[in-house]
Amino acid sequence: DGQGLIDLGTDNVYDFDEDGNLITDLWEACCIRDMHGNPIHAQWVEVKEHEEACYQMCRNNPVWREYLKKIIMLQIDAGVPGVQLDECELPMTAISSGGCFCKSCMKLFNQHLKARKAAGLLGAEWDSIDLDTFHYGEYLKANGCTFPEGAPFYRDYWEFQVRHVRQYFGELADFARAYAKEKYGRDLQISGNFYNM
Protein backbone atom coordinates (compact mmCIF):
# COMPACT_ATOMS: atom_id res chain seq x y z
CA ASP A 1 0.00 0.00 0.00
CA GLY A 2 3.01 2.27 -0.29
CA GLN A 3 3.42 2.82 3.44
CA GLY A 4 6.90 2.39 4.91
CA LEU A 5 7.60 0.52 8.12
CA ILE A 6 9.56 1.17 11.29
CA ASP A 7 11.81 -1.71 12.30
CA LEU A 8 10.58 -2.40 15.83
CA GLY A 9 10.55 -6.17 15.50
CA THR A 10 7.20 -6.12 13.70
CA ASP A 11 5.84 -4.95 10.41
CA ASN A 12 2.72 -3.53 12.04
CA VAL A 13 3.94 -0.03 12.96
CA TYR A 14 3.80 2.58 10.23
CA ASP A 15 6.25 5.41 9.85
CA PHE A 16 4.07 7.13 7.24
CA ASP A 17 0.58 8.47 7.78
CA GLU A 18 -2.45 7.64 5.65
CA ASP A 19 -1.49 10.38 3.17
CA GLY A 20 2.09 9.17 2.78
CA ASN A 21 3.67 11.84 4.99
CA LEU A 22 6.67 10.79 7.06
CA ILE A 23 5.83 10.74 10.78
CA THR A 24 8.47 12.47 12.84
CA ASP A 25 6.34 12.96 15.98
CA LEU A 26 3.84 10.21 16.84
CA TRP A 27 1.96 12.35 19.36
CA GLU A 28 1.56 15.22 16.93
CA ALA A 29 0.55 12.91 14.07
CA CYS A 30 -2.11 11.00 16.03
CA CYS A 31 -3.62 13.44 18.49
CA ILE A 32 -7.26 14.41 18.59
CA ARG A 33 -7.87 17.94 17.30
CA ASP A 34 -10.52 20.60 17.62
CA MET A 35 -12.03 22.26 14.52
CA HIS A 36 -9.22 24.85 14.54
CA GLY A 37 -6.53 22.16 14.42
CA ASN A 38 -5.46 22.44 18.07
CA PRO A 39 -4.65 19.25 19.97
CA ILE A 40 -7.10 18.21 22.68
CA HIS A 41 -5.46 17.59 26.03
CA ALA A 42 -6.17 14.58 28.23
CA GLN A 43 -7.02 16.71 31.24
CA TRP A 44 -7.69 13.75 33.53
CA VAL A 45 -4.01 12.71 33.41
CA GLU A 46 -2.17 15.89 32.46
CA VAL A 47 -0.45 17.87 35.19
CA LYS A 48 -1.50 21.49 34.73
CA GLU A 49 1.26 24.01 34.04
CA HIS A 50 3.82 21.22 33.62
CA GLU A 51 6.17 21.32 30.66
CA GLU A 52 4.94 17.92 29.43
CA ALA A 53 1.61 17.86 27.58
CA CYS A 54 -0.67 14.84 27.39
CA TYR A 55 -2.92 14.69 24.37
CA GLN A 56 -5.92 12.50 23.70
CA MET A 57 -5.05 10.14 20.86
CA CYS A 58 -7.42 9.28 18.03
CA ARG A 59 -8.15 5.62 17.48
CA ASN A 60 -9.61 6.45 14.10
CA ASN A 61 -6.01 7.17 13.08
CA PRO A 62 -4.57 3.94 11.61
CA VAL A 63 -1.05 4.82 12.77
CA TRP A 64 -2.19 5.07 16.39
CA ARG A 65 -3.98 1.71 16.18
CA GLU A 66 -0.82 0.10 14.80
CA TYR A 67 1.15 1.62 17.68
CA LEU A 68 -1.40 0.17 20.13
CA LYS A 69 -1.03 -3.24 18.47
CA LYS A 70 2.72 -3.10 19.04
CA ILE A 71 2.17 -2.29 22.73
CA ILE A 72 -0.34 -5.16 22.95
CA MET A 73 2.24 -7.51 21.43
CA LEU A 74 4.86 -6.43 23.97
CA GLN A 75 2.42 -7.07 26.83
CA ILE A 76 1.44 -10.50 25.52
CA ASP A 77 5.10 -11.39 24.98
CA ALA A 78 5.66 -10.47 28.64
CA GLY A 79 3.06 -13.07 29.64
CA VAL A 80 0.02 -11.04 30.69
CA PRO A 81 -3.20 -13.07 31.04
CA GLY A 82 -5.29 -10.20 29.71
CA VAL A 83 -5.24 -6.76 28.16
CA GLN A 84 -7.36 -3.77 29.11
CA LEU A 85 -7.92 -1.28 26.33
CA ASP A 86 -8.15 1.97 28.24
CA GLU A 87 -10.05 5.01 26.96
CA CYS A 88 -11.73 2.78 24.38
CA GLU A 89 -14.29 5.33 23.34
CA LEU A 90 -11.77 7.87 22.10
CA PRO A 91 -12.41 9.99 20.13
CA MET A 92 -15.97 10.18 21.52
CA THR A 93 -14.62 11.42 24.86
CA ALA A 94 -13.06 14.34 23.04
CA ILE A 95 -16.39 15.57 21.69
CA SER A 96 -17.12 17.28 25.01
CA SER A 97 -13.79 19.13 24.62
CA GLY A 98 -14.44 20.18 21.03
CA GLY A 99 -12.87 17.28 19.06
CA CYS A 100 -12.25 15.26 17.00
CA PHE A 101 -11.58 16.98 13.72
CA CYS A 102 -8.35 15.22 12.83
CA LYS A 103 -7.90 14.26 9.19
CA SER A 104 -8.66 10.59 9.90
CA CYS A 105 -12.01 11.43 11.49
CA MET A 106 -12.95 13.86 8.75
CA LYS A 107 -12.15 11.31 6.01
CA LEU A 108 -14.02 8.52 7.79
CA PHE A 109 -17.00 10.77 8.52
CA ASN A 110 -17.28 11.55 4.81
CA GLN A 111 -17.12 7.84 3.96
CA HIS A 112 -19.81 7.17 6.56
CA LEU A 113 -22.03 9.91 5.13
CA LYS A 114 -21.61 8.68 1.56
CA ALA A 115 -22.53 5.14 2.60
CA ARG A 116 -25.60 6.43 4.45
CA LYS A 117 -26.60 8.53 1.44
CA ALA A 118 -26.23 5.56 -0.93
CA ALA A 119 -28.47 3.56 1.41
CA GLY A 120 -31.06 6.37 1.49
CA LEU A 121 -30.46 6.97 5.19
CA LEU A 122 -29.37 10.62 5.21
CA GLY A 123 -31.95 13.27 6.08
CA ALA A 124 -33.04 16.02 3.71
CA GLU A 125 -30.78 18.53 5.51
CA TRP A 126 -27.86 16.88 3.66
CA ASP A 127 -29.32 17.39 0.18
CA SER A 128 -27.44 20.65 -0.47
CA ILE A 129 -24.11 19.36 0.88
CA ASP A 130 -21.43 18.14 -1.57
CA LEU A 131 -20.02 15.14 0.27
CA ASP A 132 -17.00 15.00 -2.06
CA THR A 133 -15.71 18.30 -0.65
CA PHE A 134 -17.42 18.37 2.76
CA HIS A 135 -15.20 18.86 5.81
CA TYR A 136 -17.23 19.01 9.01
CA GLY A 137 -14.84 21.30 10.89
CA GLU A 138 -14.54 23.75 8.00
CA TYR A 139 -18.32 23.73 7.57
CA LEU A 140 -18.84 24.59 11.24
CA LYS A 141 -16.28 27.40 11.13
CA ALA A 142 -17.67 28.85 7.91
CA ASN A 143 -21.16 28.94 9.44
CA GLY A 144 -20.06 30.40 12.79
CA CYS A 145 -21.11 27.27 14.71
CA THR A 146 -19.84 26.03 18.03
CA PHE A 147 -19.18 22.39 18.79
CA PRO A 148 -20.65 20.33 20.25
CA GLU A 149 -23.39 22.63 21.62
CA GLY A 150 -25.94 23.36 18.93
CA ALA A 151 -23.78 22.01 16.12
CA PRO A 152 -25.63 21.06 12.95
CA PHE A 153 -25.27 17.42 11.96
CA TYR A 154 -24.20 16.55 15.51
CA ARG A 155 -26.39 13.45 15.67
CA ASP A 156 -24.87 12.11 12.42
CA TYR A 157 -21.38 12.77 13.76
CA TRP A 158 -22.12 11.07 17.09
CA GLU A 159 -23.52 8.01 15.32
CA PHE A 160 -20.44 7.83 13.11
CA GLN A 161 -18.14 7.88 16.14
CA VAL A 162 -20.17 5.21 17.98
CA ARG A 163 -19.91 2.89 14.99
CA HIS A 164 -16.17 3.42 14.70
CA VAL A 165 -15.52 2.92 18.41
CA ARG A 166 -17.23 -0.45 18.11
CA GLN A 167 -15.29 -1.30 14.97
CA TYR A 168 -11.87 -0.41 16.34
CA PHE A 169 -12.41 -1.96 19.75
CA GLY A 170 -13.24 -5.16 17.89
CA GLU A 171 -10.18 -4.78 15.67
CA LEU A 172 -7.81 -4.40 18.62
CA ALA A 173 -9.47 -7.14 20.69
CA ASP A 174 -9.42 -9.57 17.76
CA PHE A 175 -5.78 -8.73 17.09
CA ALA A 176 -4.78 -9.34 20.71
CA ARG A 177 -6.62 -12.66 20.93
CA ALA A 178 -5.24 -13.87 17.60
CA TYR A 179 -1.68 -12.88 18.50
CA ALA A 180 -1.82 -14.67 21.86
CA LYS A 181 -3.32 -17.79 20.28
CA GLU A 182 -0.99 -17.90 17.29
CA LYS A 183 2.26 -17.16 19.10
CA TYR A 184 1.63 -18.81 22.48
CA GLY A 185 -1.37 -21.08 21.94
CA ARG A 186 -3.34 -19.49 24.73
CA ASP A 187 -6.54 -17.56 25.26
CA LEU A 188 -6.42 -13.95 26.33
CA GLN A 189 -8.90 -11.95 28.38
CA ILE A 190 -9.89 -8.56 26.98
CA SER A 191 -11.55 -5.72 28.83
CA GLY A 192 -12.25 -2.10 28.00
CA ASN A 193 -12.70 1.14 29.88
CA PHE A 194 -15.74 2.83 28.35
CA TYR A 195 -16.99 6.17 29.59
CA ASN A 196 -19.58 7.21 27.02
CA MET A 197 -20.92 3.85 25.88
Side-chain angles (χ1 to χ4, degrees):
D1 60 7
Q3 293 182 322
L5 303 170
I6 298 171
D7 183 11
L8 294 176
T10 179
D11 59 358
N12 289 328
V13 179
Y14 296 101
D15 64 359
F16 291 92
D17 70 13
E18 60 205 292
D19 293 329
N21 300 311
L22 180 66
I23 294 174
T24 58
D25 184 330
L26 182 66
W27 317 121
E28 183 67 23
C30 299
C31 68
I32 288 172
R33 297 190 178 275
D34 67 16
M35 72 170 115
H36 304 287
N38 301 312
I40 301 288
H41 293 259
Q43 297 167 346
W44 61 94
V45 293
E46 188 174 78
V47 178
K48 292 195 184 305
E49 299 180 16
H50 191 273
E51 63 186 51
E52 298 296 329
C54 183
Y55 299 144
Q56 296 182 43
M57 306 307 283
C58 188
R59 291 200 182 174
N60 283 331
N61 186 314
V63 174
W64 186 249
R65 287 194 315 279
E66 292 304 320
Y67 170 79
L68 291 176
K69 288 176 185 175
K70 178 60 180 174
I71 299 303
I72 288 168
M73 291 169 66
L74 293 171
Q75 292 174 341
I76 293 169
D77 291 345
V80 298
V83 171
Q84 176 174 326
L85 298 169
D86 201 12
E87 312 307 343
C88 296
E89 80 296 355
L90 286 171
M92 287 175 66
T93 298
I95 289 174
S96 64
S97 299
C100 181
F101 292 91
C102 75
K103 67 181 176 181
S104 297
C105 283
M106 294 299 93
K107 287 179 181 181
L108 289 170
F109 187 38
N110 275 34
Q111 291 171 13
H112 170 79
L113 293 170
K114 288 178 181 180
R116 302 277 293 170
K117 183 174 184 176
L121 299 173
L122 275 188
E125 65 273 16
W126 286 99
D127 289 348
S128 64
I129 304 290
D130 178 2
L131 296 180
D132 290 326
T133 60
F134 180 71
H135 182 287
Y136 191 35
E138 295 303 320
Y139 175 88
L140 293 174
K141 288 190 296 185
N143 288 283
C145 302
T146 58
F147 184 83
E149 299 82 17
F153 309 129
Y154 176 78
R155 184 179 174 120
D156 295 293
Y157 186 72
W158 180 265
E159 180 181 317
F160 148 73
Q161 289 294 5
V162 168
R163 289 174 183 263
H164 277 78
V165 165
R166 288 178 183 160
Q167 178 181 336
Y168 295 137
F169 180 83
E171 175 188 328
L172 293 170
D174 290 348
F175 172 84
R177 287 188 185 109
Y179 182 78
K181 184 63 89 175
E182 180 182 317
K183 188 154 185 187
Y184 299 102
R186 63 186 177 87
D187 293 328
L188 186 76
Q189 297 294 314
I190 304 289
S191 67
N193 179 6
F194 292 92
Y195 180 76
N196 287 303
M197 297 181 73

